[in-house]
Amino acid sequence: MPGLGTTYGRGGATTAPSDVVNSDVVLIMGSNMAENHPVGFQWVMEAKEKHGTHIIHVDPRFSRTSAVANTWVSLRAGSDILFLGGLINYVLQNNLDFREYVLHYTNASVIIPEGFKDAEELDGLFSGWDPATKQYDNTTWLYQGVKQDESSSDRHDNSQSGGHSQHGVDSSVDLSTYEQDLTLQHPRCVWQLMKRHFARYTPDMVARYCGVTKDAFLNVAKIYTSASGPDKTGAICYALGWTQHSSGVQMIRCAAMLQLLLGNMGRPGGGILALRGHASIQGSTDIPTLFDSLPGYISMPKFGYSSVDLASFIKANKPKTGFWNNIDKYIVSMLKAFYGEHATAENDYGFNWLPRLTGDHSHQAYFLDMMDGKMDGLFVMGQNPAVAAPNSGLERRALGKLKWLVVREMVETETATFWRDSPEVTSGELKMADIQTEVFLLPAAGHVEKDGTFTNTQRLLQWREKAIDPPGDARSENWFIYHIWERVVEKAKADPRPRNQGLLALQMNYTITGPRREPEAPEILQEINGYTTADRKLLKTFGELTADGSTTCGCWIYTGVYPEAGRNRANERDPKDEYGHGWGWAWPADRRVLYNRASAKPDGTPWSERKKLVWWDEAEKKWTGKDVPDFTATKPPTYVPPPGAEGDAALAGDKPYILHADGMGWLWVPVGLNDGPLPTHYEPLESPIANPMYAGQQANPVGLRRTRPGNEYATSPDTRFPYVLTTYRLTEHHTAGGMSRTLSHLAELQPEIFCEISMELADELKIEHGEWVTLVTARGAIEAHALSTSRMKPLTIDGKRVHQIGVPFHWGYNGLVKGDIGNDLIAISEEPNVRIMETKGLLCNLLVGRRSTNVERLKEYHSIAEGKTA
Amino acid sequence: MNKTSAFLTDATICIGCKACEVACKEWNEVPEDGLLWTGFSYDNTQALGASTWRHVMFLEQPATAGPQQVDMENPFRWIFLSDVCKHCVHSGCLEGCPTGAIVRTDVGSVLVQKDICNGCGYCVVSCPFGVVDKRHDDGRAFKCTFCYDRQSAGMMPACAKTCPTQSIKFGEREDLRAEGIARVQELKARGYADAQLYNPEETSVGGTHAMFVILGKPDAYNLPPAPEVPTVYLKSAWTSALLAAMVVIAVVCAAFLF
Amino acid sequence: MATTENPDSTRLPKATEERLEAIRAEAAATGKVESGAGRPPRMDRPPRDERSGGGVGSSEGKFPAGESYYNLGVVKPPTWTWEIAVYFFVGGISGISSVIGFIGHVLHADPTLVRVALWMGLIGAMICPGLLIADLGRPSRFLNMLRVFKWRSAMSMGSWILSAFGGAAFTAVAANEAVRYGIHLPLLPQIAWIGEFGGAITGLLLASYTGVLIGATAIPVWHQHRHLLPAHFLTSGLGGSAAILELLGFLLPVTQFLGFAASAVETLLGISLELKPSQVNKPLHHGRSGWTMRIAGALEGPIALLIRVFLHGSAHGRYATAICFLIGSCSSRFAWIWAGRASAHDPHALFEEENERIRARAAGARAL
């Protein structure tokens, strides 16, 4: 998310999957789209078959996506930045960029001050590195000439955020005051810095360290860069193959930069399709289940001066220019939604009832706290950490340290039964009697048994109507939260402590209906949409929000989904045009292609007839076209902001990236990322080679390894773990299999765990196709059938042969089909911006034979990790 | 209704997602058909049968023809195809059924009426494509119904409805046949030199209502290259029986007279 | 919930949860699994090197040429179990017995012989439906067999033939017994003749249609031998009927002749099966079906023949040859069913046969 968010302003897919029919080329990388987004993939196939679009798939494995792509190129897992950097270098060296777009719509021309030192100069570190805190101070990354306000003292403390909110916003810095050289010749303009930075990412370098043949790489470069210019566009699709890496955000940044250089953003058939991990994950970051984000990507207040009251918070988070300038309106309206009449100007609208971040409260962090005995209890809803979390073996042990655990699920997941049949318990390593956790399993309603919306990868809200009542005691989340609230509030009323004020102030004014007393879901959506506080008149746009409490709005980016009584746009199913307007509702404001101002020239006319999307209508004096303009409708292309202008008025008529303070697409990210203004290649946390770019920095220096007993790492390289392992999903199962292993129609399609190895590795180790093998990493060991196939290709990396092994992670110890748990192999690690673990490239060993359930033998596996036995 | 429904299943558009298998099972309440891992690429279903009416095949092959660029030493391709009952124009199972349970419907499909079938198993050995089979716990024979219930309500079969890439096309047989022929021409022009339309019209089967666009020989897909309706064997078999019977009469007579 | 219960793989255990747990326990205890866990069931699969079948797994890193889909069979094996093999056997004997009874009656043979032969027909006619009904998936629906009359379905014909035979055999025996016990009803002897005649005709059909039944199927080894099968079943029924009569004490020249003729023909038929080695005929020469076929053929053919030739005088010799023939005859039915199963599991036989047919057609078309 921050990869896209910092580059463009919003962290989400910038277009809809159906838009790829307009692409001339589609690059799928870090994704197995056909297998994991098969319905979205229909448009890729349509593009290929009906429009002659060239589909390129770059991946360590030849998967079902590769099978239907026009071009497949192999890749060493984790070397994506080398490859993408190679593409960027190819563009820069050969002047293949879309120059007019780059000049006007990106910060390529902006000048960076002299204090900045690139990673190329500091052997893998950028300037501003503090070895004590292991963090960067980004002062040297800011634009030359910008004014800074140092009074915001916790500005530099990145330890508390997860980077999910307010991308690229730092209100202590006024990024609208920059200096630029539109000839791109100034030695410290972004353009020249990029050229120097990517100079070593040559095709030879790529071939040598990515395991791709040079011709194949150049072929991709040629094809992809040809889809650029006024008449052509190309799209990039990525998914967890990029995000679940220790430099994942920077991988995405490379792609985002490439799209800006080629002028593909905001245009039909262009854009970046960030394919989200499952059905409503977009929704669960919009109305977040993330620890560091409030609805609509507002930052969660941190413990510190910047959040001592509402005014300080707003000061810290309200940049002078760009759409985030309205954050006071967004947050006050949100607080009104939380606290209703209890939120008044006098009490800062209840701002001080919001919790404060005191550190890293992400999933990994609190599970480690749990392991250390620091947590009493946990609610687990719609998640199955016992098999789905990284280092799931450690997480299962951590669950055993809780006093109580509530699991709300449709099926009896491994998280609910860990205490009696996890592998540790069945092998005897842990005794059931020693696990004191009291586990409550509450039945949950399935998606056809409750009303509500999904928000899918293209930011589209689609309402689901309840078809039947959930059986027995199963209940929806709305019901559960509401009824827990009722009971807890009753107890809180009897408890006079001030800490209960916020709880008692919470407003849940929904109509409760039915014998089960269910809150009316449409009312919740209306509250999210927003209405005037006084008379509950629904709002049509977030432009109507105010900072004085007269509007109530749960999530400002969703305003417009329920614009008037009786009109739930998420429930509309009448598509009127090729962009699907009339089917569901996309945020923001039903704009289907974000940044679509960039589909027109600076003067407002389309780049070409073939690629027109949105343009300025001089007669009507507004922007018009095939999509809702992602721009102030009446702002003319020639608009020049008056001095001292604020917010959106401070952005010129040719600045499409309206969430950014400077309105431009950021090739260079001055603020918002913890690990650098430009992507640079680091190896994954476990790698078969030393970092070819920098002797001084092997892996991402800002990433967290959380090394501790039970969460150890291999060295890079490591003779004990000679093979590269990547984990992935299959179409047939859903995430870690909790819901699909219990359904016979799915379970029978992929009933047993297998790992994919090359024919060459099978020959080398004398492994029979189908036989049981054990995969061992520094964290754990699992068994799988060996599927030897020509689809896995051994790579030549720097002259030596490197084997890659793939294993899907869909199995667990419950369900119709059972198998070992892939996530037992993964380490708990945190990418520096979003805290996500690295699952896509690690080191392993492969032993013939089944995993022993004998406790002593298991210890042998662990001692392999500790280097005691080979 | 009186139309001639058909499937055209195109391997070159299939992404191997198996949604067709699942949708079919969900709609028709087909039971689980074995939780067995085969190691046959991603195909754990293996074949059509009484409890599998759509079967997605996975072929890993050296690429003998085709424009795909693959960064491998030896050119390679991975083909997917969703197999289904052929609903033959001249159908072996229908001809062989002694109870009249198997009938031709008004949409041209072949339907096993499960309230009549008594599980004699003759259809099983009469199908030259190896489609229909007996469910052993149930006793009756089952196969794809062409979602006759859905068609009767004006809907398309569940598998065609759910296929995300429209690899499974449903429509009038003549239209789809023409479309298949045109598609093969198009594929050949694009460099898929071994594309062909599988619709065995030149045999006694006389063509099928489920046609396939495939790459390479039908043998690789376990599609019989020259399937015959077993009734073509009846004449010679009965002739032999009658001749032998006459010999037996003669021998028995001779035995008594001798 | 159904699990894959392939009757052909009755030697392999069912894929159930219990089985998976047992496999794990075995692995934990001994460090390996002997019982073929994780591998799919196969029948008569050629060894790894010979396989040209498609898909993965070649350890030389070369792709197999893709001549079939993972060596899986194209057509489905018969679902029939032992009842059908025994029905073929009993039906053959009982049908021919009625023929013997009728012709014997016409040619004034030993009346006891005639009577016993007709009774054998009737007893067979009573056993056969029971066997067939037991094999049905839904036995209670056996009457559905008489819903339609389809001459294009050998099984439909067979249902009607069996029914007609049963009626005729009953008529013949009942009427004859009535006459014998002195019941004087008008036309009773004529009714008996009609029954006997009907029984003979339908008996011949009963004994031979089963060969047509399996000959007119999609199973390669069956339909390739569709000329031989009706003849073989008839001959086998003839010899079996004679053998039972001999075991019942009818050590007469008639039964000797019939036994001799049957064994001689069976010997020739057996030799003819050995003369054509091909992929399609593999089940006749290899595996369980092949060995059973050969032993059965030997017992029905040369062995029975030789015993008859060299021990034709002794009663024990004739009993021995009769028993040999009966064992061979019954085993032969089982062998043919097993051969059908093996043939269904062999895709290469089918492809060889059909591709040859395509070539022949093309050559024929060119010749025109």
Side-chain angles (χ1 to χ4, degrees), chain B residues 203-248:
Chain B
T203 67
S204 57
V205 168
T208 52
H209 288 261
M211 300 171 279
F212 301 88
V213 174
I214 59 176
L215 297 177
K217 296 198 296 183
D219 308 29
Y221 302 80
N222 262 13
L223 291 169
E228 302 286 351
V229 183
T231 49
V232 303
Y233 303 128
L234 278 175
K235 186 160 149 200
S236 49
W238 276 120
T239 309
S240 166
L242 289 172
L243 286 172
M246 294 201 292
V247 169
V248 164

Side-chain angles (χ1 to χ4, degrees), chain A residues 508-545:
Chain A
M508 297 271 209
N509 288 347
Y510 312 112
T511 310
I512 306 297
T513 55
R516 292 174 179 187
R517 301 187 60 238
E518 185 95 26
E520 278 283 315
E523 290 183 22
I524 302 176
L525 187 62
Q526 287 174 347
E527 182 181 67
I528 289 170
N529 176 81
Y531 45 75
T532 55
T533 311
D535 54 4
R536 289 187 79 116
K537 180 161 160 297
L538 291 163
L539 302 174
K540 291 184 172 28
T541 77
F542 53 75
E544 300 177 67
L545 294 174

Side-chain angles (χ1 to χ4, degrees), chain A residues 307-549:
Chain A
S307 297
V308 69
D309 58 14
L310 182 61
S312 321
F313 177 85
I314 289 171
K315 179 157 182 265
N317 291 289
K318 177 184 164 115
K320 186 158 148 284
T321 55
F323 255 97
W324 277 113
N325 179 262
N326 297 310
I327 191 181
D328 47 346
K329 301 172 186 158
Y330 307 152
I331 192 168
V332 169
S333 305
M334 184 202 82
L335 290 168
K336 289 296 285 180
F338 283 11
Y339 301 115
E341 64 203 7
H342 297 116
T344 63
E346 285 70 41
N347 67 5
D348 261 359
Y349 301 99
F351 177 75
N352 278 329
W353 291 326
L354 291 177
R356 303 294 197 266
L357 295 181
T358 55
D360 178 1
H361 303 297
S362 68
H363 173 101
Q364 343 277 47
Y366 74 72
F367 258 89
L368 292 175
D369 282 345
M370 201 190 297
M371 189 66 190
D372 294 335
K374 294 182 192 165
M375 276 178 68
D376 278 359
L378 183 71
F379 284 87
V380 176
M381 304 197 268
Q383 200 188 49
N384 193 4
V387 299
N391 205 338
S392 36
L394 189 136
E395 299 218 356
R396 291 193 296 273
R397 288 164 203 266
L399 289 172
K401 303 279 172 76
L402 291 169
K403 294 207 178 99
W404 53 267
L405 172 68
V406 175
V407 178
R408 256 186 53 90
E409 258 295 349
M410 294 193 290
V411 296
E412 196 177 46
T413 57
E414 286 79 1
T415 303
T417 64
F418 78 93
W419 50 274
R420 66 159 190 241
D421 55 12
S422 66
E424 300 76 42
V425 169
T426 47
S427 71
E429 249 187 287
L430 294 180
K431 296 207 180 13
M432 207 164 39
D434 293 341
I435 297 173
Q436 294 294 299
T437 314
E438 192 170 357
V439 179
F440 301 85
L441 176 60
L442 302 179
H447 74 275
V448 297
E449 298 164 349
K450 53 193 180 187
D451 285 324
T453 56
F454 278 65
T455 306
N456 73 5
T457 216
Q458 71 224 58
R459 296 163 282 104
L460 187 71
L461 278 77
Q462 294 176 98
W463 183 265
R464 302 290 202 269
E465 288 178 4
K466 177 167 132 170
I468 51 171
D469 279 328
D473 289 331
R475 297 287 185 271
S476 67
E477 282 70 35
N478 289 346
W479 183 96
F480 182 73
I481 300 293
Y482 183 83
H483 285 264
I484 286 258
W485 167 80
E486 258 193 350
R487 286 160 169 72
V488 170
V489 158
E490 274 311 301
K491 288 185 190 292
K493 280 182 186 152
D495 180 341
R497 283 179 287 176
R499 75 181 201 184
N500 290 324
Q501 278 178 12
L503 176 61
L504 290 168
L506 278 179
Q507 138 175 293
M508 297 271 209
N509 288 347
Y510 312 112
T511 310
I512 306 297
T513 55
R516 292 174 179 187
R517 301 187 60 238
E518 185 95 26
E520 278 283 315
E523 290 183 22
I524 302 176
L525 187 62
Q526 287 174 347
E527 182 181 67
I528 289 170
N529 176 81
Y531 45 75
T532 55
T533 311
D535 54 4
R536 289 187 79 116
K537 180 161 160 297
L538 291 163
L539 302 174
K540 291 184 172 28
T541 77
F542 53 75
E544 300 177 67
L545 294 174
T546 64
D548 60 7

